[in-house]
Amino acid sequence: MNRTLREAFHREYMTFFEQAERTRRWNPFTDIPWEDLRDSRPDERLALCAETFCGVEMFLPDYLKAHLDLCGGNYGQAWFAANWGYEESRHSLVLREYLHRSGQRTEEQLFDYAEDVLSRTWRSPYDEGRQMVVYGAVQELTTFVIYRKQRDLAARSGDSVLAEVYRLIGRDEMAHAKFYQRMLQLHLETDRVGTLHDLAHVLRTFRMPAEDILPDYEARVAVMRTAGIDSGVFFKEVVLPTLAAMGLSRHDLPGPRARAAVDVPIRREPHRRVP
Ligand SMILES: [Fe+2]
Ligand SMILES: [Fe+2]
């Protein structure tokens, strides 16, 4: 990655961090109205979803490793990874607190679950740094959409505490999605053809991280459908807004067969590979 792009990433990170410090810090112990849990009734469907998302968020060490492997002396990206990791660490933690404080899981159950999750390994789905930036933009926005739907579901079920938990997590996910979108915009300005190719490739092959390596995955699948993310929702609420944020439409994306034509004539920036 050239110096101009590294400098631009650094400026973007400073804007992101300043905004996060000013407007988006929250405390899982004091900013959630935990006392209101006494007004809500246990709901196993909501609890199973919360436990599943808690598990997905718990692969944080693997996500962080993938981030840091891609940084390679890039100050802005490395500091983003550190701050991103801190913010993400609150997500599994607050869902864990919810499950325990609402009486729907014991400390022992949650400890066993964490041990089970952390005995498994998530591997990053793409080798190239720029494709991982696309993946980050898509994954963060998809996560935001999922949490927004869970928030609505919790509110309709009378669980205002869980709704607030999802609101705070979702706000972080949206901020992360916007940061990745800005990084992608910078890539587009540097290498439009190559970036469009990576965008098309990741959009065609995207899968949410880790859900399929969670313990008891099969049992979770049916309940997870309540998250309401099918291909239509993904296209309308994730793909189109991601493209629109960069001033693109789906007609700007090359088809799969364009790869050879894209790869040959242009000089592409080398990207670090994730082992
Ligand atoms: Fe998260
Ligand atoms: Fe996130």
Side-chain angles (χ1 to χ4, degrees), residues 32-34 36-37 40 43 45-51 53 94-95 98-99 102 104 147 150-155 157-169:
I32 309 289
W34 295 117
D36 293 347
L37 277 173
S40 58
D43 180 328
R45 204 178 39 143
L46 287 177
L48 192 64
C49 285
E51 186 188 70
F53 298 127
V94 73
L95 287 167
Y98 164 78
L99 288 163
S102 65
Q104 297 180 96
Y147 285 145
Q150 288 294 313
R151 177 188 168 192
D152 292 345
L153 206 60
S157 307
D159 193 335
S160 60
V161 176
L162 184 58
E164 179 63 4
V165 165
Y166 282 131
R167 185 186 73 82
L168 287 168
I169 303 179

Side-chain angles (χ1 to χ4, degrees), residues 84 88 91 140 173 176:
W84 174 89
E88 294 291 348
H91 298 173
E140 296 283 359
E173 309 296 16
H176 299 162

Side-chain angles (χ1 to χ4, degrees), residues 53 56-57 63 84 87-92 139-140 143 147 169-170 172-173 176:
F53 298 127
V56 174
E57 297 273 4
Y63 302 148
W84 174 89
E87 294 187 5
E88 294 291 348
S89 75
R90 292 183 301 198
H91 298 173
S92 63
Q139 180 267 323
E140 296 283 359
T143 310
Y147 285 145
I169 303 179
D172 285 349
E173 309 296 16
H176 299 162

Side-chain angles (χ1 to χ4, degrees), residues 32-216:
I32 309 289
W34 295 117
E35 62 282 359
D36 293 347
L37 277 173
R38 59 175 174 251
D39 302 328
S40 58
R41 280 176 292 124
D43 180 328
E44 183 48 31
R45 204 178 39 143
L46 287 177
L48 192 64
C49 285
E51 186 188 70
T52 301
F53 298 127
C54 181
V56 174
E57 297 273 4
M58 237 184 261
F59 286 97
L60 181 60
D62 294 334
Y63 302 148
L64 260 180
K65 186 170 179 308
H67 259 295
L68 293 170
D69 282 342
L70 291 167
C71 288
N74 183 333
Y75 184 94
Q77 254 185 303
W79 260 244
F80 173 72
N83 182 77
W84 174 89
Y86 157 66
E87 294 187 5
E88 294 291 348
S89 75
R90 292 183 301 198
H91 298 173
S92 63
L93 193 144
V94 73
L95 287 167
R96 197 179 187 284
E97 280 297 299
Y98 164 78
L99 288 163
H100 183 238
R101 292 185 190 227
S102 65
Q104 297 180 96
R105 298 290 186 274
T106 64
E107 275 284 9
E108 196 185 8
Q109 285 173 321
L110 289 166
F111 192 81
D112 286 346
Y113 183 58
E115 295 238 300
D116 201 347
V117 170
L118 290 174
S119 70
R120 298 153 192 256
T121 304
W122 173 84
R123 300 197 191 288
S124 56
Y126 302 99
D127 289 338
E128 295 207 2
R130 193 169 56 198
Q131 291 180 354
M132 284 302 286
V133 173
V134 179
Y135 176 76
V138 176
Q139 180 267 323
E140 296 283 359
L141 191 55
T142 308
T143 310
F144 167 80
V145 171
I146 289 174
Y147 285 145
R148 196 191 59 214
K149 287 178 186 298
Q150 288 294 313
R151 177 188 168 192
D152 292 345
L153 206 60
R156 281 202 306 275
S157 307
D159 193 335
S160 60
V161 176
L162 184 58
E164 179 63 4
V165 165
Y166 282 131
R167 185 186 73 82
L168 287 168
I169 303 179
R171 194 178 62 177
D172 285 349
E173 309 296 16
M174 179 55 96
H176 299 162
K178 289 200 162 144
F179 180 75
Y180 280 116
Q181 286 169 3
R182 280 298 302 141
M183 302 239 296
L184 262 185
Q185 255 165 342
L186 295 170
H187 275 302
L188 263 180
E189 287 160 20
T190 307
D191 173 3
R192 183 175 174 86
V193 178
T195 303
L196 285 175
H197 168 258
D198 285 345
L199 196 49
H201 174 62
V202 174
L203 288 174
R204 270 196 302 272
T205 51
F206 177 80
R207 290 194 65 189
M208 272 300 280
E211 282 175 4
D212 53 352
I213 52 171
L214 281 177
D216 310 316

Side-chain angles (χ1 to χ4, degrees), residues 2-17:
N2 64 39
R3 181 183 170 116
T4 308
L5 200 50
R6 290 202 308 276
E7 284 177 339
F9 277 8
H10 173 74
R11 286 193 296 275
E12 282 303 325
Y13 173 67
M14 290 303 283
T15 305
F16 168 87
F17 184 59

